[in-house]
Amino acid sequence: MNTKTNIGSISEGNEFIFLYNYFLKSKKSICYIARNEKEIFTIKNKLNWLIPNTDIFLYRSWDQIPYDNVSPLNEIQSERIKTIYNISINKKKIILITSVNAIIQRTIEISNFDNYFIKIYKNKIIDFSELINHLILIGYNRTSVVRDKCEFAVRGSIIDIFLPDYKNPLRLDFFDKKIENIYSFDYFTQKKINEIEKEMIIFPTKEIILSSDNLKIFRKKFRSIFNDYRHSNIYNFFSDYNFPYGGENFIPLFYKMKTLFSYIENFNIIINN
């Protein structure tokens, strides 16, 4: 049975101390719903200092006005997908930090993305051209030189890619279909920083994947709602495999949506009001 407990007054700035003590005593994972996006980062940084070996995930809201012709940052979209993926597979205690704005927005069904996660590691065999095409499909922008997150560049048998959750871009050095080396580098000096030995997952940077199957679903739903669909720029953009600005607002026409609560049914939920 779900129960509601009023914790009482906690002085502003000390919420992380309560969360720390509560998490240590609890047998379940916890979800903390912050008042705003600013508080999310403050709490996470303090908890990372107190319990550095605990997995702490963020789930932020889109950084745009609903139905505006501006897309949310790719970095935020990728972080949201990564968080849902991790809380859906994780078997150990974790901490999820989100906000009121994020929790009320319906979200994706993570199983829709099962075919779009790319695991990379040293000595993995993967087709070079297929990897490039896959990166474009999941929202990475191909550039001549990698400068910003969610970008990748190709030079000979090398792919440079800047993952949203990394401080520095990565360089994948191929020999035929084999990844011989992976290391981080400074995008300004291009100098090598560290060699990467662990397995990594490349997550999509957009919450809508423009696959042929997804577009069939979108077109069918769009036509059922809008009779004059042929004159719609949104419809024509998507149909031509182009992503319009603010196209994420039409995500319910691509997938069945869920709430974040459906992923955290076994979590203890704490809200700051």
Side-chain angles (χ1 to χ4, degrees), residues 171-186:
R171 181 158 290 161
L172 314 182
D173 193 354
F174 279 77
F175 179 75
D176 195 19
K177 294 184 178 181
K178 180 181 178 181
I179 302 177
E180 285 207 313
N181 287 294
I182 304 175
Y183 56 86
S184 60
F185 67 96
D186 186 298

Side-chain angles (χ1 to χ4, degrees), residues 21-258:
N21 289 318
Y22 189 91
F23 180 73
L24 293 183
K25 296 175 183 177
S26 174
K27 295 181 180 180
K28 296 182 178 181
S29 297
I30 65 172
C31 170
Y32 177 69
I33 304 175
R35 289 167 296 184
N36 52 53
E37 302 292 304
K38 182 180 178 181
E39 187 187 359
I40 284 179
F41 292 102
T42 302
I43 294 291
K44 184 177 187 295
N45 290 336
K46 291 177 178 178
L47 287 176
N48 277 334
W49 176 72
L50 276 175
I51 39 179
N53 296 322
T54 298
D55 288 331
I56 303 173
F57 299 104
L58 296 183
Y59 188 81
R60 288 186 278 168
S61 62
W62 287 352
D63 61 330
Q64 40 86 271
I65 301 171
Y67 300 103
D68 195 6
N69 290 327
V70 176
S71 290
L73 283 175
N74 286 5
E75 182 180 345
I76 292 178
Q77 294 187 65
S78 183
E79 177 188 79
R80 285 160 58 93
I81 295 170
K82 177 184 176 182
T83 294
I84 293 175
Y85 171 83
N86 279 290
I87 63 178
S88 64
I89 66 168
N90 219 308
K91 303 299 182 184
K92 58 183 179 180
K93 277 205 315 179
I94 62 172
I95 297 176
L96 172 64
I97 305 175
T98 185
S99 67
V100 173
N101 285 341
I103 207 80
I104 63 176
Q105 179 185 358
R106 284 189 170 270
T107 189
I108 56 171
E109 167 60 68
I110 197 63
S111 62
N112 291 324
F113 291 78
D114 285 346
N115 296 325
Y116 303 108
F117 302 127
I118 310 173
K119 292 184 179 181
I120 58 171
Y121 48 86
K122 190 175 179 180
N123 296 322
K124 178 174 182 175
I125 304 299
I126 185 170
D127 186 89
F128 190 82
S129 297
E130 286 184 6
L131 177 57
I132 292 172
N133 292 333
H134 200 100
L135 290 174
I136 294 172
L137 177 63
I138 63 175
Y140 279 83
N141 297 316
R142 184 170 180 173
T143 60
S144 57
V145 180
V146 168
R147 297 292 187 197
D148 295 318
K149 294 185 176 185
C150 305
E151 290 183 347
F152 80 99
V154 180
R155 295 183 296 107
S157 62
I158 291 174
I159 296 179
D160 292 341
I161 182 169
F162 206 151
L163 303 183
D165 50 343
Y166 276 70
K167 292 182 179 180
N168 296 291
L170 303 178
R171 181 158 290 161
L172 314 182
D173 193 354
F174 279 77
F175 179 75
D176 195 19
K177 294 184 178 181
K178 180 181 178 181
I179 302 177
E180 285 207 313
N181 287 294
I182 304 175
Y183 56 86
S184 60
F185 67 96
D186 186 298
Y187 71 85
F188 185 74
T189 64
Q190 296 292 304
K191 290 184 178 180
K192 176 179 176 180
I193 300 176
N194 290 313
E195 190 165 351
I196 309 294
E197 298 288 347
K198 66 178 181 178
E199 178 183 278
M200 294 168 292
I201 299 178
I202 301 177
F203 292 92
T205 66
K206 287 186 176 295
E207 294 181 42
I208 295 177
I209 304 294
L210 293 185
S211 67
S212 58
D213 289 339
N214 287 342
L215 284 175
K216 286 179 183 177
I217 296 170
F218 164 77
R219 286 194 286 260
K220 182 179 179 180
K221 290 184 177 180
F222 197 97
R223 289 195 296 262
S224 69
I225 299 171
F226 304 101
N227 294 327
D228 199 22
Y229 62 89
R230 289 187 178 89
H231 296 98
S232 168
N233 288 332
I234 295 293
Y235 181 85
N236 291 322
F237 259 87
F238 276 130
S239 295
D240 292 335
Y241 288 85
N242 295 317
F243 208 101
Y245 292 114
E248 290 82 2
N249 291 306
F250 293 87
I251 193 171
L253 301 185
F254 285 85
Y255 313 113
K256 289 182 178 179
M257 306 299 289
K258 301 180 69 172

